[in-house]
Amino acid sequence: MSNKVRVRFAPSPTGPLHIGGVRTALFNYLFAKKHQGTFILRIEDTDQNRYVEGAENYIIESLQWLHLPFDEGPTIGGNYGPYRQSERKDIYKKYIDQLLHSGNAYYAFDTPEQLDFHRKSHEAKGETFIYNWHNRLQLENSLSLTTEEVKKRIDSGKKYVIRFKSPENETLILNDIIRGEIKIDTHVLDDKILFKSDGMPTYHLANIVDDHLMEISHVIRGEEWLPSLALHVLLYRAFGWGAPEFAHLPLILKPQGKGKLSKRDGDKMGFPVFPLAWKTEESISRGYREDGYFPEAVVNMLALLGWNEGDGTEKEIYSLEELIKAFSLEHVSKAGAKFNPDKTKWFNQQYLQQKSDDELAEMFQLILNKKLENSHLVKNDKEYVKRVIALLKERATFVSDFWPLGSFFFIAPTSYDEKSVRKQWKETTTQVMKELITVLKSAEDFSSSSIENVVKDWITTKEIGFGKVMQPLRISLVGALQGPHLFDIMEIIGKDETILRIEKAIDKL
RNA sequence: GCUCCAUUAGCAUAGUGGCUAGUGCAUUCGACUUUCCAUCGAAAGACAAGGGUUCAAUUCCCUUAUGGAGUACCA
């Protein structure tokens, strides 16, 4: 085995990729790139019953969207292929035979019904049924049956599985990069099924064989695999292979309460748990991409879920390149990381602030085109859009925010916020607004600062009071008491439009 | 039940055998803006409990509590 870093992300194509899976992919990617290693995508489709059409494409598209390209994998190939386990069936056959011959595995004929019966009856007595050294001789397998009987059963086409013969009494010391040493007694291990009766290997066998053949140097996976680590290490030993190093990532926990993050949490609290939207006949699950998140923000958020650069750094915004540089498995925390949808939004906001007005204008234009079917103001004036964005940017989190934040730059208000009107539009207001129109009409220079001077002078000399002018004016132009600096708005929409809107407000209110 | 893993403020985390335990989000209050927005400033808030080891423990060890994961012919 070479000492080059080779890691794999090995999802099952059973549906859309969960955000936890994406984080696992990300950590694998970061670790690989940090060490100039290879990032491999391997599709673990040994369970034919759970296979979902389109899931593999979904996985690949997700990685593409997040800019986490794999170096080897399905569709692009590599020197260690094939990269779908369903296409590696013959390989597993060969290796399970090896285990059978060396006495590390055995045939078992117990039917699912029989096993189920055992489990149930044990449960009734408050015990757990474990298929291992303490009872394997009482069950139907090639250890308890005669050689002839075993042969007879196999020849007659009776279904069987192949189980691992786990050692009876031994204390294993396992090593995890994140957790350190883990001790486990083999007498509590059960004889896991390695080969299913449908001729496919289970995850346990397939992942060891593939990791070995693909020369995987580090296995970085979710914490849910920790209980299987002993089995896997034992398997490497049974094959006589050196084992890769292991790192088990902490779980991603739901925002409130306990337990790991599930799709339901997202639905309930209104945030996506998938990178991309996923449509089935029954429902649509939202995705970060469709919800308007930037891939960089999602990556950044995910990277900080269970990892921190350490050394008291206060840095939170990392580009992918910076993450690669800073990442290390030693700084991955052991405790589960609670998912925080608000923080995710915050990251998106940070990234939005970093983008240029130009870039944002281009993205916003797409939304604008749909909204502005019959606007009299502007349709495709990029400069205009850019000026608007410059004003709105700092209060936006998503590109889609620009519309609710600043639709009045494109369409005159069609209605006025009732509460604001009630509070700010007094009887005298109409008269004040009429005078204001005269003042504005006289303004030659309609730039923000110069209108501001003119209006302020007028207010002071007439002793009207700022609020009495500015608030109704805002209502006239915006339709509500919100938006950026009023004089900036006036400059952008222009003199004519400004006066038009005030007249309209006087008329309507 | 059994096995394994975890536990710093509401949340995410940093950090250390010994001075006031650092940061971000959220919260509260101020400033600015006559916008319950944004920005800026400030405040409040934590080492799960008990026992050791030690001159000294949030930091090392044990127990308890709490939580999580696994316990499938699923991955």
Side-chain angles (χ1 to χ4, degrees), chain A residues 46-192:
Chain A
T46 52
D47 186 351
Q48 291 155 329
N49 299 321
R50 294 212 304 159
Y51 183 82
V52 172
E53 195 66 41
E56 182 185 313
N57 276 338
Y58 179 96
I59 291 164
I60 293 174
E61 202 183 332
S62 299
L63 294 177
Q64 270 167 359
W65 180 62
L66 293 160
H67 307 299
L68 306 175
F70 48 92
D71 305 304
E72 297 173 22
T75 70
I76 64 167
N79 295 328
Y80 298 79
Y83 293 91
R84 286 184 200 95
Q85 291 186 326
S86 59
E87 294 168 12
R88 300 170 66 82
K89 265 174 106 166
D90 299 341
I91 302 175
Y92 308 122
K93 188 89 196 71
K94 179 180 145 200
Y95 286 99
I96 194 67
D97 284 345
Q98 188 182 322
L99 249 29
L100 248 11
H101 284 135
S102 63
N104 283 296
Y106 60 91
Y107 296 99
F109 301 99
D110 318 87
T111 64
E113 293 73 31
Q114 283 173 314
L115 293 172
D116 203 45
F117 173 77
H118 283 129
R119 280 193 199 99
K120 289 243 166 73
S121 58
H122 273 71
E123 205 178 309
K125 285 184 276 178
E127 294 165 12
T128 310
F129 174 71
I130 303 178
Y131 200 128
N132 68 1
W133 57 273
H134 86 282
N135 62 2
R136 57 168 83 108
L137 256 21
Q138 280 84 256
L139 294 154
E140 294 190 36
N141 52 55
S142 60
L143 299 173
S144 62
L145 269 22
T146 62
T147 319
E148 294 77 47
E149 178 63 19
V150 170
K151 191 172 184 311
K152 210 179 95 192
R153 290 197 183 191
I154 293 174
D155 290 346
S156 72
K158 190 157 169 39
K159 293 231 175 194
Y160 62 87
V161 299
I162 300 172
R163 287 181 181 269
F164 182 64
K165 189 182 169 191
S166 57
E168 183 178 331
N169 218 345
E170 194 182 332
T171 302
L172 292 175
I173 299 188
L174 311 169
N175 212 340
D176 180 277
I177 298 173
I178 296 167
R179 283 151 224 280
E181 276 186 5
I182 297 164
K183 282 200 199 103
I184 201 155
D185 290 325
T186 57
H187 70 264
V188 298
L189 262 29
D190 56 354
D191 289 355
K192 275 272 180 296

Side-chain angles (χ1 to χ4, degrees), chain A residues 99-322:
Chain A
L99 249 29
L100 248 11
H101 284 135
S102 63
N104 283 296
Y106 60 91
Y107 296 99
F109 301 99
D110 318 87
T111 64
E113 293 73 31
Q114 283 173 314
L115 293 172
D116 203 45
F117 173 77
H118 283 129
R119 280 193 199 99
K120 289 243 166 73
S121 58
H122 273 71
E123 205 178 309
K125 285 184 276 178
E127 294 165 12
T128 310
F129 174 71
I130 303 178
Y131 200 128
N132 68 1
W133 57 273
H134 86 282
N135 62 2
R136 57 168 83 108
L137 256 21
Q138 280 84 256
L139 294 154
E140 294 190 36
N141 52 55
S142 60
L143 299 173
S144 62
L145 269 22
T146 62
T147 319
E148 294 77 47
E149 178 63 19
V150 170
K151 191 172 184 311
K152 210 179 95 192
R153 290 197 183 191
I154 293 174
D155 290 346
S156 72
K158 190 157 169 39
K159 293 231 175 194
Y160 62 87
V161 299
I162 300 172
R163 287 181 181 269
F164 182 64
K165 189 182 169 191
S166 57
E168 183 178 331
N169 218 345
E170 194 182 332
T171 302
L172 292 175
I173 299 188
L174 311 169
N175 212 340
D176 180 277
I177 298 173
I178 296 167
R179 283 151 224 280
E181 276 186 5
I182 297 164
K183 282 200 199 103
I184 201 155
D185 290 325
T186 57
H187 70 264
V188 298
L189 262 29
D190 56 354
D191 289 355
K192 275 272 180 296
I193 291 174
L194 262 21
F195 226 80
K196 298 181 274 187
S197 59
D198 66 358
M200 282 295 242
T202 60
Y203 167 84
H204 300 296
L205 202 240
N207 112 85
I208 266 70
V209 169
D210 288 347
D211 285 347
H212 175 256
L213 260 24
M214 294 181 181
E215 295 182 26
I216 299 302
S217 61
H218 300 259
V219 172
I220 304 167
R221 69 213 321 189
E223 187 183 322
E224 66 270 23
W225 292 110
L226 204 49
S228 303
L229 180 58
L231 198 226
H232 297 167
V233 168
L234 252 14
L235 238 17
Y236 279 104
R237 196 171 76 182
F239 277 118
W241 299 334
E245 293 198 55
F246 292 92
H248 291 88
L249 270 21
L251 260 14
I252 297 180
L253 273 20
K254 51 181 71 190
Q256 285 159 7
K258 311 134 195 331
K260 68 175 172 184
L261 181 68
S262 71
K263 176 178 166 332
R264 295 185 130 236
D265 300 313
D267 293 344
K268 213 164 57 188
M269 297 176 59
F271 63 87
V273 287
F274 301 114
L276 276 34
W278 174 263
K279 295 180 198 66
T280 63
E281 277 162 27
E282 304 90 57
S283 63
I284 299 175
S285 300
R286 48 209 282 200
Y288 278 92
R289 181 177 64 183
E290 288 74 11
D291 272 21
Y293 287 83
F294 300 118
E296 313 91 283
V298 175
V299 162
N300 199 148
M301 173 276 289
L302 248 21
L304 260 37
L305 227 44
W307 171 84
N308 186 288
E309 189 176 349
D311 296 329
T313 183
E314 287 163 30
K315 191 174 164 73
E316 293 201 275
I317 302 298
Y318 289 87
S319 69
L320 199 53
E321 289 68 35
E322 289 172 320

